[in-house]
Amino acid sequence: MSPETTIQAALLTPVIGAVLISLCGRWTNLRETVTLVTAVILFSLVISLYPLVLEGGRPSLVVGEMLPNLSIAFTVEPLGMLFACIASFLWIVNSLYSIGYMRGNNEKNQTRFYVCFAIALASSVAIAFAGNMMTLFIFYEALTISTYPLVTHAGTEKAKRGGRVYLGILLSTSIGLLFLAIVWTWMIAGTLDFTPGGILEGKASNTIIGILLALYMFGIGKAALMPFHRWLPAAMVAPTPVSALLHAVAVVKAGVFTVVKVIIYIFGVDFLSVTIDPDWLLYISGFTILAASIIALRSDNLKRRLAYSTISQLSYVIMAAAILAPLSVLGAALHIAVHAFGKITLFFAAGSIYTASHKTEVSQLDGIGRRMPWTMGAFAIGALSMIGVPPTAGFISKWYILHGAFDSGQMLAVGIIIVSSLLNASYFLPIVHAAFFKKEIESPNHDDHGEAPFTVVIALTVTATITILLFFFPGIFIDLARQLI
Amino acid sequence: METFYGLFNYWIVIVLMMMGFYMVIAQHNLIKKIIGLNVFQVSVFVFYISMSKIKGGTAPILTDGIEIYSNPLPHVLILTAIVVGVATTALGLALTVRIKDAFDTIEDDEIAILEKEDQERERGTIS
Amino acid sequence: MSTQLPALQVVLPLLMAPIALIIRNPRFVWMLTLIVTWTTLAISLSLLMQVLDSGTITYRIGGWAAPWGIEYVLDKVGAFVLVIVSAIGSLVMTYARRSVEQEIPAERIYLFYTMFLLCLTGLLGITITGDVFNLFVFLEISSLSSYVMISLGRDRRALTAAYRYLIMGTIGATFYIIGVGLMYMMTGTLNMADLATLMPAIADTRVIQAALAFLTVGICLKLALFPLHLWLPNAYTYAPSMVTAFLAATATKVAVYILIRIIFTVFGGVNVFEILGLQNILMTLAIFAMFAASTIAIYQDNAKRMFAYSSIAQVGYIILGLSFASETGMAAGIIHLFNHAIMKCTIFLGLGCVALRMGGVSIRDMYGLGTRMPWTMAAIVVGGLSLIGIPMTVGFVSKWYLVRAALEADMWPVAVLIVLSSLLAIIYVWRIVEAAYLKPAPENAEPVSEVPLSMLLPLWVMALASIYFGLDATNTLTIALDAADILLNGGLQ
């Protein structure tokens, strides 16, 4: 297959998968098989492009002109490759997990769930491969819309309210700010193609560049920069597989991915550092890191704590990109990958606990490690990765970000990373400690439970293992990310 | 004074127009509103017809020895407009008859009250 | 034959109207109307092809040369609007049979279709004529027949809505005719092209300024520009479903077309925006319309009324685009005219389907309909997303160009207002979505089945059109940009 056909196939596979899933809705086993097969095909298509991109190839595909002089176009470059790899690989694992979780909890409307999931993945891959800002925006919104039914899956009043916040923030930031920024960029630069070095050089005054940057950074609501972060905790009403893949990987990563992409390919790292040198972005992302960590520390609900941890980790990526040093950009790209594996493990564990014991609060988890050793073991690995302790992958990306910050003399960033690592430790380690070393609380309506369903355990073991493996073999992502600088 | 007498036809037009307009707005009776509408339209007819008058011109019929005619085109236009006006009036009156059947009144303010009741009933039965 | 097409376009529905009156049988009348509408669509498409190939078409009625005779002129803008009107007409007519059978008493159905044909005649005539008085006649043909169609709604409030529309519409038309009279006094001609050449010399006179004021106010009444919109919500709410769909997609659009013709063709050689400060007036009113009407829409319980208010807001977008008086702005206005016709038609056709099965279109009627009438509700959602301006729908294309026009004119606050007002659309569209998908159906609800294919098909043609033209907007945009270019730089020549 030529690279163009591969891109085409990669974009169409999940869509076709969605259609097939909806047709097979009546036969649940067939439906789940279709999901898994689609996920595997998607991943193999994406990975088949990997060697080409690593050699410096930039396969591209122009679908057609949407507006005069503005096409829907796809180009695979290293950052997109990285994102697509993670999203499509984790979809396989997550599908395994979903099967166990959805059946274990007897969720309704499972067909709709899988269909929306496939469409969300299609949008994510399209975002990853987008060749210009408009294409990216189109699928950015498609991702928002296709995940809405997943967030409101339960159909309860609480889900409805969560859905409102989710959609309200994501749509209003993207239409209100991002859309404006894109049209403005188009008008100034005459193009929206992602070009190494940026497209805005010499086209506008520093003031306008500053305003545009602010519009982009706050407009990309999926990156959950404060004060537009509330949608992420709101989205936690969704079933756990959704929180795991979409709100720890696909959706939020689409957000920070767009941030990095805009900084590298629309503004250009060098251009930004010589013109406006956006210190404010550093401050805001730094504030988000610390504030979200503190909120996480105070949350008793496990998924809520994880959500705030995600918000804080996302701002690592934004801060790393805002340092504008080559090594920190590399760190930003790596952190997208590394955090994905760590956080999905944590969510898998949270869902596993819920499936087995219907516990949702941190305070209920005393002693649960003895009943669910696999789950809590994986949870511990994920937590260590969040803190950045070797031998987990989290260490690698933090190392590069810190390195970049030192190089460019951003001591504030260094300080924030160190303080937030301490905060991370203080809201994750007590859970691990309680799970393994505290005694279980005796309660009258306490039911005897063991591990979660088999597929669930498999899934979280796989992601936890990868989190460790990535520490020893980070080359697969570093080689890719190195091409960015 | 020259402007007043010289443009007297326009003054008539304006007075008629305002009278008609006022009736449409101020009258609550649906038929009176239509009468107002008619007065309003008639003012426009007068406006068209009077503007086609040319000093010393006669009726636009081709006859020997007469050089100056009034402009016949506005007359024709107004013939069309009158037809439209008649159709509008007829339709308006027909609607008034139907409204009388449906609401048992042709007073605008009373209808408004009934409509509000309708709306509340709609909400009431459903909520 | 092909040289007679412009006349045939108008004459065909006009002549078929009395025939429909004679036939009387509802079934046959419907079939006749259906054939007529699809024929007009074919004619208008071939006219559009001709115009795109060889430029503006002119046609002299009865062979009388302009400016004495009445002339039909069709340029790109006109041809484009013609296609919109006839396409919407034919799709709505395909859909109409079941909906009309349910909503209109059997003995009046043939009258209804007769009125529809007359209304179509009027709308097509307005679009194609090059004579300002002839335009008035067509305007009244379409208006009178739409009053009748609205009054045929089941609710008794349809009667008062029609009555109020009649009063307002007649005042608007009379204002228009006063403006025409004033122009005739100064120029002695009624032909648009002729007026356009004579206008620059006398543009400074007070008579012409008065004429422009009368014309603008008169037309704005017809196109329901805020605050002259009061007739619209009730008329759209209580009219039969297919009438709402048809009028929402065509009548206001054609009125916008008249405004374009007057301001940019008849007054094409004159900078009207500066003479009367018309630009500021129109822009301010348009922005008020966008916010006020959208805000009112949020609080409506009746979905038809909600989207009627949304129409007023959308008219605001169109007028806003025109008021920039730049090529991009004009193109944005024209493209939104087309796009809004598609999306509003989708929504109102969808609501017609809901009305057919549920008997009403309040938000409560839609509880749980997402699973019970999945296709209908999905189409409404597509239309709703388009209203918000989500990418991959036509609404996105319009918003894109509107924002760009605002930024080009260095009016970034206006650009901000455009995006803010589309956020209001999210709220009212999502009230429908939440009702349909997240509320359970009432417990004593009778089982509801999906509407018949004859209704579902036109509905989905419109819904898919609003996606297709959102994805591939190059063709429509090229036409719109060309049209804007002609209007701003070329006049009627």
Side-chain angles (χ1 to χ4, degrees):
Chain A
M1 270 201 290
S2 74
E4 286 77 26
T5 1
T6 315
I7 300 176
Q8 224 157 10
L11 294 169
L12 286 177
T13 306
V15 178
I16 297 169
V19 175
L20 288 179
I21 293 166
S22 63
L23 290 179
C24 307
R26 221 168 298 161
W27 306 281
T28 49
N29 286 331
L30 184 61
R31 180 185 68 197
E32 261 90 305
T33 317
V34 171
T35 304
L36 272 176
V37 169
T38 313
V40 170
I41 294 177
L42 177 65
F43 177 65
S44 48
L45 285 168
V46 169
I47 205 74
S48 73
L49 286 168
Y50 180 85
L52 181 69
V53 176
L54 201 60
E55 284 163 15
R58 298 285 180 269
S60 63
L61 169 78
V62 178
V63 177
E65 263 195 357
M66 176 169 159
L67 304 170
N69 301 323
L70 205 51
S71 305
I72 298 183
F74 298 95
T75 307
V76 187
E77 46 74 59
L79 193 62
M81 191 66 220
L82 188 104
F83 178 40
C85 276
I86 303 161
S88 57
F89 174 72
L90 288 179
W91 189 26
I92 306 177
V93 186
N94 193 69
S95 301
L96 271 178
Y97 181 83
S98 302
I99 296 167
Y101 182 91
M102 298 302 277
R103 292 189 178 181
N105 288 306
N106 291 322
E107 296 274 352
K108 57 191 167 88
N109 292 331
Q110 292 198 19
T111 307
R112 188 177 78 191
F113 174 87
Y114 287 111
V115 169
C116 289
F117 225 114
I119 296 174
L121 253 294
S123 315
S124 304
V125 173
I127 290 174
F129 288 170
N132 58 42
M133 198 59 212
M134 194 187 66
T135 313
L136 196 152
F137 182 67
I138 291 172
F139 292 101
Y140 181 95
E141 295 292 39
L143 186 57
T144 311
I145 303 285
S146 61
T147 45
Y148 175 78
L150 294 171
V151 172
T152 55
H153 186 83
T156 56
E157 194 59 29
K158 194 175 162 222
K160 195 171 88 178
R161 260 181 286 133
R164 273 188 196 167
V165 177
Y166 181 78
L167 201 83
I169 293 183
L170 287 185
L171 277 189
S172 41
T173 49
S174 62
I175 293 180
L177 305 170
L178 182 57
F179 176 66
L180 206 59
I182 294 173
V183 181
W184 204 345
T185 311
W186 187 48
M187 215 189 72
I188 297 172
T191 174
L192 285 175
D193 291 343
F194 290 126
T195 318
I199 52 175
L200 286 167
E201 198 166 346
K203 300 271 174 59
S205 68
N206 282 358
T207 332
I208 290 184
I209 298 285
I211 297 174
L212 269 181
L213 184 69
L215 283 177
Y216 273 116
M217 291 306 128
F218 290 111
I220 303 168
K222 287 191 166 74
L225 202 58
M226 279 184 180
F228 298 119
H229 65 283
R230 290 281 311 279
W231 63 270
L232 190 53
M236 292 300 140
V237 296
T240 307
V242 177
S243 307
L245 185 57
L246 297 174
H247 301 118
V249 182
V251 174
V252 290
K253 290 302 174 316
V256 284
F257 168 78
T258 313
V259 167
V260 177
K261 199 116 175 169
V262 163
I263 288 181
I264 296 181
Y265 293 110
I266 296 284
F267 290 96
V269 175
D270 297 334
F271 174 65
L272 267 188
S273 59
V274 296
T275 48
I276 53 171
D277 204 12
D279 278 337
W280 60 266
L281 188 54
L282 222 60
Y283 302 145
I284 292 198
S285 50
F287 173 78
T288 308
I289 294 176
L290 298 180
S293 300
I294 291 168
I295 299 174
L297 196 58
R298 296 163 48 102
S299 315
D300 192 35
N301 183 297
L302 182 56
K303 276 177 81 180
R304 190 176 147 85
R305 186 174 285 195
L306 292 179
Y308 274 101
S309 157
T310 306
I311 294 173
S312 125
Q313 298 282 334
L314 291 175
S315 276
Y316 271 85
V317 179
I318 302 176
M319 190 173 77
I323 290 171
L324 298 175
L327 276 180
S328 64
V329 171
L330 185 121
L334 276 181
H335 200 67
I336 291 180
V338 162
H339 172 247
F341 285 97
K343 194 44 76 53
I344 203 171
T345 311
L346 290 171
F347 271 110
F348 280 171
S352 167
I353 295 169
Y354 176 73
T355 314
S357 68
H358 290 277
K359 285 175 181 164
T360 55
E361 307 303 306
V362 172
S363 50
Q364 300 168 329
L365 298 182
D366 291 355
I368 201 165
R370 266 160 285 173
R371 289 180 179 276
M372 308 177 70
W374 287 95
T375 301
M376 290 320 290
F379 187 93
I381 292 169
L384 290 179
S385 182
M386 290 299 120
I387 305 164
V389 181
T392 56
F395 173 75
I396 307 271
S397 58
K398 258 189 193 166
W399 173 264
Y400 277 104
I401 298 174
L402 272 177
H403 204 323
F406 267 118
D407 277 0
S408 53
Q410 295 284 6
M411 287 308 147
L412 181 74
V414 176
I416 288 172
I417 292 173
I418 292 170
V419 173
S420 79
S421 295
L422 291 175
L423 283 169
N424 287 348
S426 58
Y427 62 79
F428 275 129
L429 292 184
I431 302 178
V432 179
H433 175 259
F436 284 108
F437 302 111
K438 278 196 182 166
K439 275 197 97 165
E440 211 166 345
I441 304 165
E442 294 293 334
S443 69
N445 53 355
H446 169 256
D447 56 338
D448 214 29
H449 67 84
E451 273 290 1
F454 181 63
T455 52
V456 169
V457 177
I458 289 274
L460 58 87
T461 314
V462 168
T463 53
T465 316
I466 292 177
T467 307
I468 292 184
L469 282 180
L470 274 179
F471 175 79
F472 295 104
F473 309 102
I476 179 165
F477 291 137
I478 290 187
D479 292 345
L480 213 50
R482 213 179 276 284
Q483 294 202 8
L484 290 172
I485 52 179
Chain B
M1 290 318 260
E2 173 65 19
T3 45
F4 186 80
Y5 290 118
L7 300 173
F8 80 98
N9 57 327
Y10 296 114
W11 289 113
I12 291 175
V13 167
I14 290 169
V15 169
L16 274 178
M17 188 183 286
M18 289 306 128
M19 276 169 60
F21 207 39
Y22 179 77
M23 283 164 80
V24 174
I25 296 167
Q27 285 294 340
H28 287 306
N29 186 304
L30 296 188
I31 294 195
K32 288 182 182 167
K33 267 182 193 286
I34 291 175
I35 296 173
L37 202 63
N38 267 304
V39 175
F40 182 59
Q41 285 178 313
V42 163
S43 75
V44 182
F45 303 161
V46 173
F47 167 63
Y48 265 74
I49 294 166
S50 65
M51 86 184 172
S52 67
K53 168 71 182 167
I54 289 167
K55 256 187 198 149
T58 62
I61 301 163
L62 216 55
T63 333
D64 287 334
I66 292 172
E67 297 280 303
I68 308 170
Y69 299 108
S70 288
N71 184 351
L73 187 69
H75 298 174
V76 181
L77 297 183
I78 278 329
L79 219 51
T80 317
I82 288 172
V83 174
V84 172
V86 168
T88 312
T89 312
L91 180 57
L93 290 174
L95 280 174
T96 315
V97 171
R98 293 279 315 276
I99 290 173
K100 168 82 177 159
D101 286 348
F103 289 88
D104 217 22
T105 173
I106 52 167
E107 294 294 323
D108 204 20
D109 41 357
E110 289 172 23
I111 293 172
I113 295 170
L114 289 171
E115 283 191 327
K116 191 159 261 175
E117 279 171 12
D118 276 5
Q119 200 165 356
E120 269 155 22
R121 195 170 314 128
E122 217 164 57
R123 287 217 181 109
T125 51
I126 310 164
S127 63
Chain C
M1 179 64 191
S2 74
T3 54
Q4 302 295 332
L5 283 182
L8 198 61
Q9 173 83 304
V10 180
V11 170
L12 183 71
L14 185 64
L15 285 185
M16 288 304 145
I19 294 179
L21 204 59
I22 295 167
I23 296 180
R24 290 184 84 106
N25 176 314
R27 208 39 172 314
F28 289 129
V29 175
W30 172 72
M31 271 161 61
L32 175 76
T33 318
L34 188 69
I35 294 167
V36 171
T37 49
W38 281 97
T39 317
T40 54
L41 176 61
I43 297 175
S44 62
L45 279 174
S46 77
L47 284 172
L48 179 69
M49 291 302 149
Q50 274 185 46
V51 171
L52 289 180
D53 274 354
S54 52
T56 306
I57 302 174
T58 55
Y59 178 89
R60 292 169 186 166
I61 298 289
W64 296 90
W68 297 282
I70 293 172
E71 190 185 30
Y72 281 3
V73 182
L74 201 61
D75 61 0
K76 278 182 186 162
V77 200
F80 193 50
V81 177
L82 212 54
V83 171
I84 299 175
V85 172
S86 52
I88 301 271
S90 41
L91 273 170
V92 168
M93 202 28 76
T94 317
Y95 165 99
R97 193 173 63 86
R98 293 294 299 269
S99 175
V100 166
E101 272 172 14
Q102 195 214 13
E103 295 186 18
I104 293 170
E107 71 276 10
R108 294 210 183 108
I109 288 181
Y110 74 103
L111 290 172
F112 174 81
Y113 286 121
T114 311
M115 285 301 145
F116 179 86
L117 282 171
L118 285 177
C119 188
L120 187 67
T121 310
L123 295 173
L124 294 172
I126 292 171
T127 317
I128 206 170
T129 188
D131 184 285
V132 282
F133 194 84
N134 195 232
L135 193 151
F136 163 75
V137 176
F138 280 125
L139 184 66
E140 282 306 83
I141 292 179
S142 71
S143 302
L144 284 169
S145 46
S146 51
Y147 307 148
V148 177
M149 288 199 288
I150 290 167
S151 74
L152 285 171
R154 275 178 308 180
D155 197 294
R156 63 176 177 173
R157 279 166 288 179
L159 294 170
T160 46
Y163 181 90
R164 285 184 193 129
Y165 185 18
L166 180 136
I167 299 284
M168 299 277 252
T170 308
I171 291 174
T174 313
F175 268 44
Y176 174 83
I177 198 84
I178 295 171
V180 170
L182 292 170
M183 287 199 301
Y184 182 73
M185 269 172 72
M186 294 302 288
T187 59
T189 180
L190 292 168
N191 182 286
M192 287 183 190
D194 213 23
L195 278 169
T197 52
L198 295 171
M199 206 50 87
I202 48 168
D204 279 339
T205 59
R206 202 171 295 168
V207 181
I208 289 301
Q209 290 171 11
L212 183 62
F214 273 114
L215 288 169
T216 314
V217 173
I219 300 164
C220 286
L221 254 170
K222 288 278 182 188
L223 61 78
L225 181 62
F226 182 87
L228 303 174
H229 65 278
L230 294 169
W231 57 269
L232 188 142
N234 270 352
Y236 279 17
T237 312
Y238 300 116
S241 306
M242 68 85 61
V243 175
T244 311
F246 180 67
L247 291 184
T250 57
T252 45
K253 307 297 167 294
V254 169
V256 171
Y257 172 80
I258 305 176
L259 189 70
I260 293 177
R261 271 280 165 263
I262 295 295
I263 291 184
F264 296 100
T265 302
V266 173
F267 284 84
V270 188
N271 195 346
V272 281
F273 280 149
E274 284 190 4
I275 295 182
L276 280 178
L278 201 54
Q279 180 172 30
N280 293 336
I281 297 174
L282 285 181
M283 195 175 281
T284 318
L285 291 182
I287 291 172
F288 265 108
M290 281 151 46
F291 280 90
S294 301
T295 314
I296 299 172
I298 294 171
Y299 295 100
Q300 300 307 316
D301 284 328
N302 181 314
K304 262 169 112 181
R305 184 183 284 269
M306 174 189 283
F307 287 111
Y309 275 107
S310 145
S311 276
I312 299 167
Q314 302 289 324
V315 165
Y317 287 114
I318 300 176
I319 300 296
L320 181 67
L322 301 183
S323 71
F324 289 122
S326 66
E327 208 162 300
T328 322
M330 184 75 80
I334 295 172
I335 198 80
H336 194 52
L337 194 138
F338 173 71
N339 291 345
H340 180 240
I342 294 181
M343 52 192 165
K344 252 324 143 40
C345 193
T346 314
I347 290 177
F348 279 123
L349 287 182
L351 290 180
C353 295
V354 174
L356 183 80
R357 285 293 184 242
M358 305 300 295
V361 288
S362 71
I363 299 273
R364 275 165 189 278
D365 287 322
M366 294 191 203
Y367 281 4
L369 272 194
T371 46
R372 296 194 293 163
M373 295 174 72
W375 291 98
T376 304
M377 289 318 293
I380 295 180
V381 169
V382 169
L385 292 179
S386 197
L387 274 180
I388 301 172
I390 300 289
M392 296 204 264
T393 60
V394 283
F396 174 69
V397 178
S398 315
K399 292 269 157 69
W400 182 278
Y401 266 78
L402 266 177
V403 169
R404 181 170 176 171
L407 290 175
E408 267 181 5
D410 270 335
M411 295 188 200
W412 62 265
V414 178
V416 172
L417 290 175
I418 295 169
V419 292
L420 283 184
S421 72
S422 47
L423 299 183
L424 292 175
I426 301 178
I427 304 178
Y428 60 77
V429 169
W430 235 259
R431 286 193 64 201
I432 304 264
V433 172
E434 284 185 353
Y437 291 95
L438 294 176
K439 289 272 188 182
E443 277 175 17
N444 51 358
E446 291 162 24
V448 172
S449 57
E450 193 53 272
V451 291
L453 202 62
S454 69
M455 293 173 80
L456 216 49
L457 209 61
L459 172 65
W460 269 92
V461 168
M462 287 319 271
L464 290 177
S466 68
I467 293 174
Y468 175 77
F469 288 109
L471 277 178
D472 181 14
T474 35
N475 291 327
T476 44
L477 264 172
T478 315
I479 298 179
L481 284 164
D482 276 3
D485 182 49
I486 292 175
L487 285 170
L488 287 174
N489 308 322
L492 261 187
Q493 278 71 44

